[in-house]
Amino acid sequence: GLGGAPPRRYSRRICGEARAENSPKMRCRRPWRTVLLHVFSMWRTIFLASTLRRQHERVRGCKYAAVVRTRSDAKPTRPLDLRRFVEPLRATPNMAHALCAGMGRRYCKQRARVWPQTACWADDQFALGASDAMHAYAQLFLDFPRFVWWYPFARADGWRHVSERLLGVHFDWRRRAAAAPTAGPREPFDWHVRQPDGRIDFGWELECQLCYRCMSDRPVPKATSRRQ
């Protein structure tokens, strides 16, 4: 069912409590099958949480003005007042905002300023938007069989930062499908890397810093053929 405590494999033990097991050295030893399992486990729980929220909205007969998705170990470096985003989100109810977190405020601000429209990945650590936009954001797990063909497997770096690339591909597929209803979801969708009010003034810290380098250095898995 959707209720109850999450399974142990989704707990914070993986990130934070057992720091020795979660060291960069140990993370780099994880095989790709394990990496993909963790990625899909994360997006599955995001989907389930969004489903519970939508059920609650239907029961109460209203929608949340702002919905935030973040990691359990992420915290803002300054108070987050969502009231300042209510009006901008009302004006763009179908836009999800995927924001940079945990990489330093100066770096994240610079990245938001120069983010290319053709980017093939998106930050997966923090996002906010109106109820409908965040429902679409959380559909990655359910939509995966429909958009996986859009994934850039041909790129030499296609297996780096898998979760971020999956999110970017999902965003692009959702946005394109909105313009061609017969190809996918009919609801409008768009996304951005800045806050709903257009400013870039919030910073985020992570209690657990991920090992990005080992993910980038991991060799790309090759298809193997069985001899007859």
Side-chain angles (χ1 to χ4, degrees):
L2 299 179
R8 180 63 176 165
R9 65 179 178 276
Y10 302 142
S11 71
R12 295 183 62 187
R13 181 187 65 79
I14 296 177
C15 187
E17 295 179 8
R19 294 184 182 277
E21 296 181 7
N22 199 46
S23 65
K25 183 177 180 181
M26 293 302 296
R27 290 184 65 88
C28 292
R29 290 180 180 176
R30 292 179 180 173
W32 270 104
R33 183 175 297 178
T34 303
V35 172
L36 292 176
L37 176 63
H38 288 183
V39 168
F40 284 115
S41 293
M42 179 185 77
W43 285 107
R44 174 180 175 273
T45 54
I46 292 172
F47 165 70
L48 294 178
S50 179
T51 300
L52 288 173
R53 173 182 58 82
R54 298 280 281 191
Q55 291 176 356
H56 178 72
E57 289 178 338
R58 285 194 290 270
V59 171
R60 298 294 297 271
C62 60
K63 290 184 178 182
Y64 286 101
V67 176
V68 175
R69 182 264 151 174
T70 184
R71 286 173 36 160
S72 60
D73 65 340
K75 60 181 180 180
T77 57
R78 57 181 295 185
L80 176 60
D81 186 358
L82 294 177
R83 291 173 297 182
R84 59 183 279 195
F85 300 139
V86 171
E87 289 305 319
L89 290 177
R90 250 178 223 161
T92 57
N94 299 301
M95 180 173 289
H97 301 261
L99 308 180
C100 175
M103 297 183 184
R105 185 176 176 185
R106 180 179 299 179
Y107 175 82
C108 287
K109 290 178 70 173
Q110 176 65 12
R111 196 160 75 180
R113 290 192 186 100
V114 300
W115 191 268
Q117 293 295 323
T118 56
C120 58
W121 65 280
D123 284 295
D124 68 341
Q125 297 172 348
F126 181 87
L128 64 89
S131 178
D132 290 343
M134 292 305 292
H135 174 66
Y137 170 96
Q139 292 289 104
L140 185 150
F141 179 78
L142 198 65
D143 288 339
F144 178 76
R146 304 173 67 188
F147 75 83
V148 62
W149 60 273
W150 200 244
Y151 192 90
F153 291 106
R155 291 179 60 99
D157 58 352
W159 286 93
R160 299 176 184 175
H161 308 299
V162 177
S163 181
E164 291 87 344
R165 287 198 182 279
L166 278 175
L167 182 59
V169 172
H170 184 233
F171 279 165
D172 189 46
W173 176 77
R174 276 261 173 184
R175 179 162 52 188
R176 292 172 184 266
T182 57
R186 294 181 179 273
E187 61 269 21
F189 179 78
D190 206 348
W191 67 288
H192 207 286
V193 298
R194 296 192 181 189
Q195 296 163 192
D197 56 1
R199 296 163 63 183
I200 318 171
D201 60 353
F202 276 117
W204 302 87
E205 293 179 348
L206 302 179
E207 294 179 7
C208 172
Q209 293 297 328
L210 299 182
C211 173
Y212 289 104
R213 179 170 177 76
C214 74
M215 294 298 296
S216 299
D217 293 344
R218 193 186 304 270
V220 176
K222 297 181 180 180
T224 57
S225 60
R226 183 178 298 177
R227 293 184 179 181
Q228 300 294 332

